[in-house]
Amino acid sequence: MKDSINRQRLRRGRDTEGLDKEEKEEDNSASMIQLHGILTQNECKELLGSVCKEEQEWNMDVDSVDGFPQDQHDVYGCPSAISLIKQIDLRVQAAAAAAGWGGMFQRRFGAISSGRNNNAAVRLVGHFIRRYSAGRRLGFRPHCDSSLFTVNLALSKASVDYEGCDLVVYNAIESKRISQTVDAIEKETKMKGVFSSEKHQSLLLLLQQMGLKPTTTTTSTTEGGGGGEQGDVQMSSVKLDFDQHSKEMLRRKTVNLSQGDALMHEGHGIYHGVTSITKGTRFVLILFYDLA
């Protein structure tokens, strides 16, 4: 995916009307599938009841993706939860197969999956419950996962258990543009030592149109040069946040899930995140799938 992105020129702020044939085909291919009724309301309560008994079981280590405490439960020490997650895995794979995840799989890994049963080609490789609440983890920055597929399963009821905390997902075309823009900002910052928003309004405008704003950090590291000499090398990185002034754009990209419903989307290459919670507590079961 990264090589493909680097080979394509950066497109700045243009609408999908001018997309070339390859991009149109990719835009029309599903990069996400909504799965309904994976869990009943009682099963959601059962799963949460089995993991919410001891506060010390929640992992508060700093998350490598966004730098905030994870506030997640890895579930592995709860036999009853593990039993239910095994059922969830079977239901997710069956529902996804019925909804056509084979086409989504073929789009990303056609050569690998050729001649193979798509259901047998992937397996559950990780899972945890994420908790969002005021004063703890409010949301999650826009990011891509390393998994083949990611599943977000809603365990809480919107507008009853919590408010805000929307799941925002960008499609394949938008995610490609975001990645290209981030790469361009990091390259420019590395070369010049600073990212000038005045000179790069087109890059910032593209992100703003998608409801995003970048934060750029630059650090200097020392590397050995030819002949054993040492030299300072500037490394830059871009973190994305949701732009709260772009509420309408974020609303259009929000995926609304009822309690017990799930969203399966491509992990690597698809940007997604969670806006800040404003009231209550939200729980989500995250499942990662990869090649078997």
Side-chain angles (χ1 to χ4, degrees):
M1 184 69 178
K2 200 72 173 179
D3 292 340
S4 172
I5 291 171
N6 291 336
R7 285 196 300 266
Q8 299 188 31
R9 66 181 178 85
L10 179 64
R11 297 175 174 87
R12 301 176 179 178
R14 68 189 177 104
D15 204 341
T16 55
E17 186 175 350
L19 296 177
D20 55 36
K21 181 179 179 181
E22 178 185 354
E23 284 191 313
K24 286 182 179 178
E25 290 176 351
E26 183 171 1
D27 189 43
N28 291 332
S29 297
S31 55
M32 63 191 80
I33 301 173
Q34 196 159 337
L35 310 174
H36 299 286
I38 298 300
L39 287 180
T40 65
Q41 291 186 14
N42 286 337
E43 287 174 325
C44 290
K45 293 178 181 178
E46 177 187 341
L47 181 57
L48 290 177
S50 65
V51 301
C52 293
K53 298 175 182 178
E54 301 294 338
E55 181 62 31
Q56 61 266 28
E57 293 180 356
W58 288 83
N59 187 342
M60 300 300 291
D61 293 342
V62 173
D63 196 291
S64 60
V65 175
D66 68 354
F68 293 100
Q70 294 177 355
D71 206 354
Q72 70 183 43
H73 197 299
D74 296 328
V75 185
Y76 293 104
C78 304
S80 59
I82 289 294
S83 176
L84 184 53
I85 286 177
K86 289 180 179 179
Q87 297 180 47
I88 293 171
D89 175 31
L90 294 175
R91 296 175 191 176
V92 164
Q93 295 209 39
W101 82 340
M104 187 165 66
F105 187 90
Q106 285 279 50
R107 187 176 79 83
R108 287 289 306 277
F109 294 94
I112 296 176
S113 62
S114 178
R116 297 173 63 180
N117 182 299
N118 285 320
N119 288 348
V122 296
R123 65 183 178 91
L124 180 64
V125 295
H127 53 75
F128 59 85
I129 294 175
R130 176 83 71 191
R131 177 174 60 183
Y132 299 94
S133 58
R136 305 173 74 92
R137 171 172 281 281
L138 297 177
F140 210 107
R141 278 176 163 161
H143 64 287
C144 297
D145 297 327
S146 58
S147 59
L148 178 62
F149 296 126
T150 297
V151 172
N152 290 263
L153 199 163
L155 300 177
S156 303
K157 185 179 296 185
S159 301
V160 176
D161 298 324
Y162 68 94
E163 294 179 5
C165 210
D166 296 323
L167 173 61
V168 177
V169 185
Y170 295 90
N171 64 31
I173 292 296
E174 294 162 339
S175 294
K176 183 183 294 185
R177 289 177 181 169
I178 293 170
S179 183
Q180 290 171 333
T181 306
V182 168
D183 287 348
I185 292 175
E186 290 182 343
K187 181 179 179 181
E188 196 72 20
T189 306
K190 181 177 180 180
M191 289 191 303
K192 298 185 177 180
V194 63
F195 177 71
S196 172
S197 60
E198 294 181 0
K199 294 182 179 179
H200 302 89
Q201 285 296 331
S202 58
L203 295 177
L204 294 176
L205 179 61
L206 175 57
L207 293 177
Q208 187 179 33
Q209 289 173 339
M210 295 188 183
L212 301 171
K213 59 181 180 179
T215 300
T216 307
T217 58
T218 304
T219 57
S220 295
T221 60
T222 301
E223 290 186 359
E229 298 178 356
Q230 299 292 318
D232 288 336
V233 177
Q234 288 194 330
M235 304 297 292
S236 62
S237 62
V238 175
K239 295 289 187 182
L240 296 174
D241 290 298
F242 291 114
D243 185 352
Q244 297 305 317
H245 297 291
S246 304
K247 293 182 179 179
E248 179 59 25
M249 177 60 186
L250 295 178
R251 185 191 65 80
R252 292 200 304 269
K253 304 310 300 178
T254 294
V255 178
N256 296 308
L257 294 176
S258 299
Q259 186 179 32
D261 288 355
L263 180 76
M264 170 178 276
H265 61 82
E266 294 179 17
H268 178 65
I270 295 296
Y271 274 88
H272 60 285
V274 178
T275 62
S276 294
I277 195 168
T278 57
K279 182 180 179 180
T281 303
R282 181 191 181 202
F283 294 94
V284 183
L285 174 64
I286 304 296
L287 306 171
F288 293 128
Y289 288 85
D290 219 323
L291 294 174

